[in-house]
Amino acid sequence: MPLDRKREQGPLKHVFGPVSSKRLGQSLGVDLLPMKSCTWNCVYCQIGRTKHYVTDRCEFYPAEEILKEIRNALQTGTHIDWITFVGSGETLLYKDIGYLIEEVKKMTAIPVAVITNGSLFHLEEVRRELLHADAVLPSLNAGSEELYERIDRPASGFTFQQHLDGLVRFRREYNGKLWVEVMLLKGINDSDEALYELAGAMKQVAPDMVHLVLPTRPASEQQVALPDEERIDRAVAILSTAAPVLHPAKGSMDLSCATDLLEAVTAIVSRHPIQDKELSDALFARFSGDQAQVEQVMKELSFSGRFGTVERGGDVYWIPS
Ligand code: SF4
């Protein structure tokens, strides 16, 4: 399985941020996987197509190496609202994530969240390992086998019914916050019919909340587009019959605490593209509105050779070079 060379060269292989988001406040990200290791190949994926599916769980990196980075990040004293396990792929492919969660809980009272596609919830060991997380955020993008196949494009042997059953079982066993993420895609799952099907499946899962999210960053497939406002409102209304729905909003980058801007921006861009405007806004806040300094730093970042740009929907995005 190929490793991401850029991350191996940087001082931090696993920890990035904190990144500011509406859902998790100041979130310290912990990436457990080599790029890109996933059971799915979603049409909306921000980190590119899944060239080779990975379906077997594995300790991709030594747990102690990951814990050391988390410990060091906590010692900087930076304000952190959540420690979030997330992967360059499917997070729960990391075997023994339960051990990592328990060890982090011994280090700090900061709550732990796990972002996952939920495709491995049919495995009893996976569900058990998550029981001590404070919040788990799995995906459910479709209410039918047909749409599940079209959107998530899973590895062979992964079915919609298996996915839904796994979520339902996990909900019965897990007492923490279950926030199910729905990616809303124009012309794919934003029709009334698709949303009613999805709401029916969501009722079976009975999450604490539904987080509606949008494909605001360049996706692996060109056909992926933002839904119209009217469809977003409709999705909120229909899915609200199953659980409270968090209306989608763009997350914003926070570079206020970054001591090494080049490394901080590299760590974020290596995980997902960032909009040029989002980056300049974050630098504007970092330098208290000093536009000349913002332009200087943007130039230095651009000349570092680490980034390239792409244009999507009239917006420019930074990607790894
Ligand atoms: S969006 Fe997440 S679950 Fe889907 S292919 Fe990308 S990494 Fe995997």
Side-chain angles (χ1 to χ4, degrees):
M1 193 174 313
L3 298 178
D4 178 16
R5 289 178 183 281
K6 265 185 215 73
R7 285 193 310 161
E8 285 192 316
Q9 287 159 4
L12 293 178
K13 279 166 67 175
H14 310 291
V15 168
F16 61 99
V19 178
S20 179
S21 75
K22 182 179 177 185
R23 299 189 294 159
L24 292 168
Q26 292 293 108
S27 164
L28 184 77
V30 185
D31 187 347
L32 305 176
L33 306 172
M35 181 81 69
K36 174 194 176 180
S37 313
C38 202
T39 51
W40 287 0
N41 177 26
C42 302
V43 288
Y44 60 83
C45 189
Q46 302 164 5
I47 55 176
R49 289 186 187 149
T50 305
K51 296 200 179 83
H52 308 285
Y53 288 108
V54 179
T55 56
D56 291 331
R57 304 184 74 213
C58 167
E59 188 181 328
F60 296 95
Y61 302 103
E64 296 313 318
E65 177 183 299
I66 296 164
L67 292 168
K68 188 173 167 201
E69 282 194 21
I70 298 172
R71 201 172 291 114
N72 289 344
L74 292 174
Q75 280 168 358
T76 63
T78 305
H79 176 75
I80 297 166
D81 295 311
W82 287 87
I83 295 172
T84 307
F85 288 103
V86 60
S88 296
E90 167 42 27
T91 317
L92 300 178
L93 283 169
Y94 188 89
K95 206 174 164 82
D96 289 339
I97 190 172
Y99 171 72
L100 293 180
I101 294 170
E102 280 169 28
E103 289 303 303
V104 169
K105 295 241 145 234
K106 288 181 195 163
M107 282 181 213
T108 176
I110 297 170
V112 173
V114 179
I115 297 179
T116 164
N117 65 17
S119 63
L120 297 170
F121 280 10
H122 61 283
L123 301 174
E124 199 265 334
E125 67 183 43
V126 169
R127 300 196 303 274
R128 193 176 58 237
E129 286 180 39
L130 289 178
L131 293 181
H132 293 117
D134 298 280
V136 176
L137 292 80
S139 295
L140 182 62
N141 301 312
S144 69
E145 185 77 45
E146 186 202 338
L147 265 188
Y148 164 77
E149 288 283 340
R150 186 173 167 200
I151 296 171
D152 300 320
R153 303 188 298 191
S156 156
F158 287 76
T159 66
F160 171 70
Q161 201 54 50
Q162 179 191 61
H163 183 59
L164 183 57
D165 290 347
L167 289 169
V168 171
R169 274 192 203 190
F170 181 64
R171 168 73 295 180
R172 286 196 199 123
E173 297 163 4
Y174 176 64
N175 294 321
K177 300 204 178 312
L178 183 63
W179 296 331
V180 173
E181 188 172 293
V182 174
M183 177 64 79
L184 195 66
L185 303 166
K186 181 173 186 163
I188 299 180
N189 63 352
D190 66 345
S191 68
D192 273 16
E193 187 192 355
L195 289 167
Y196 279 120
E197 266 180 348
L198 182 54
M202 200 65 80
K203 281 177 192 165
Q204 295 181 51
V205 179
D208 296 291
M209 192 174 271
V210 171
H211 288 180
L212 199 58
V213 294
L214 303 175
T216 52
R217 298 194 165 106
S220 58
E221 306 300 339
Q222 292 281 354
Q223 84 254 27
V224 168
L226 279 169
D228 301 333
E229 286 293 327
E230 181 269 330
R231 286 290 93 198
I232 297 171
D233 291 342
R234 193 76 183 128
V236 172
I238 293 174
L239 294 174
S240 293
T241 61
V245 178
L246 184 71
H247 198 283
K250 286 183 186 177
S252 59
M253 276 176 75
D254 184 358
L255 294 170
S256 58
C257 300
T259 48
D260 185 332
L261 282 170
L262 179 59
E263 289 305 332
V265 174
T266 302
I268 297 169
V269 172
S270 71
R271 288 166 178 90
H272 60 69
I274 52 174
Q275 205 177 4
D276 185 68
K277 181 164 184 333
E278 194 180 356
L279 176 58
S280 66
D281 286 350
L283 291 171
F284 198 75
R286 167 80 155 73
F287 295 115
S288 310
D290 183 339
Q291 188 58 34
Q293 202 162 3
V294 171
E295 283 169 18
Q296 177 62 28
V297 172
M298 291 285 279
K299 206 181 288 175
E300 285 169 14
L301 291 172
S302 161
F303 287 153
S304 69
R306 293 193 186 181
F307 313 108
T309 55
V310 291
E311 204 203 302
R312 289 282 164 84
D315 292 317
V316 174
Y317 290 83
W318 289 47
I319 56 171
S321 64

